[in-house]
Amino acid sequence: MVGRFKVITLCGSTKFKDDFLREQKRLTLEGNIVISVGLFGHSGDNEVWTEGTKEMLDEMHKRKIDMADEIFVINKDGYIGSSTRGEIEYAIETNKKVNYMEKV
């Protein structure tokens, strides 16, 4: 918590950019501080695929999880890729609550 605000980090495949933006807006309007991805590699941000960048972003996302009270998984149509699965496992290991956009 930061003050009275819960901090939530969004996780999920960056191919679901529209869902990230929609959920970020919804969660923010509900009174949460929302941390999201900086780039959408699977939605056209090709800088992600330059040497070393994806690895840096993956490590950075774990630090975003560290700052959060919980994570919110964008699992459209039930999809959870390997990177997101790793983030969920990390969140659980660090005692973060895990919520999902769709039931699992």
Side-chain angles (χ1 to χ4, degrees):
M1 299 279 287
V2 176
R4 63 185 181 95
F5 301 106
K6 184 172 22 176
V7 179
I8 301 173
T9 295
L10 300 180
C11 298
S13 174
T14 57
K15 65 183 174 181
F16 302 130
K17 181 177 180 178
D18 291 341
D19 297 284
F20 266 88
L21 297 174
R22 185 186 68 248
E23 293 300 327
Q24 178 178 332
K25 181 177 182 178
R26 180 184 66 77
L27 291 165
T28 298
L29 288 171
E30 288 178 0
N32 301 290
I33 296 170
V34 181
I35 302 171
S36 189
V37 298
L39 298 165
F40 290 91
H42 293 290
S43 293
D45 288 333
N46 293 323
E47 301 90 342
V48 169
W49 311 116
T50 60
E51 185 175 339
T53 302
K54 171 87 166 74
E55 295 78 14
M56 176 195 70
L57 293 171
D58 289 346
E59 179 64 25
M60 191 182 297
H61 207 73
K62 285 186 178 174
R63 301 298 70 84
K64 292 176 180 182
I65 292 169
D66 289 340
M67 292 189 288
D69 299 301
E70 63 186 62
I71 68 168
F72 186 86
V73 180
I74 308 294
N75 60 327
K76 185 174 186 168
D77 298 324
Y79 180 80
I80 297 175
S82 59
S83 292
T84 303
R85 193 168 312 284
E87 292 166 357
I88 294 167
E89 290 169 3
Y90 182 77
I92 291 168
E93 289 169 8
T94 56
N95 298 312
K96 307 293 180 176
K97 183 177 180 182
V98 179
N99 289 310
Y100 297 86
M101 184 176 83
E102 296 183 2
K103 285 189 175 188
V104 283

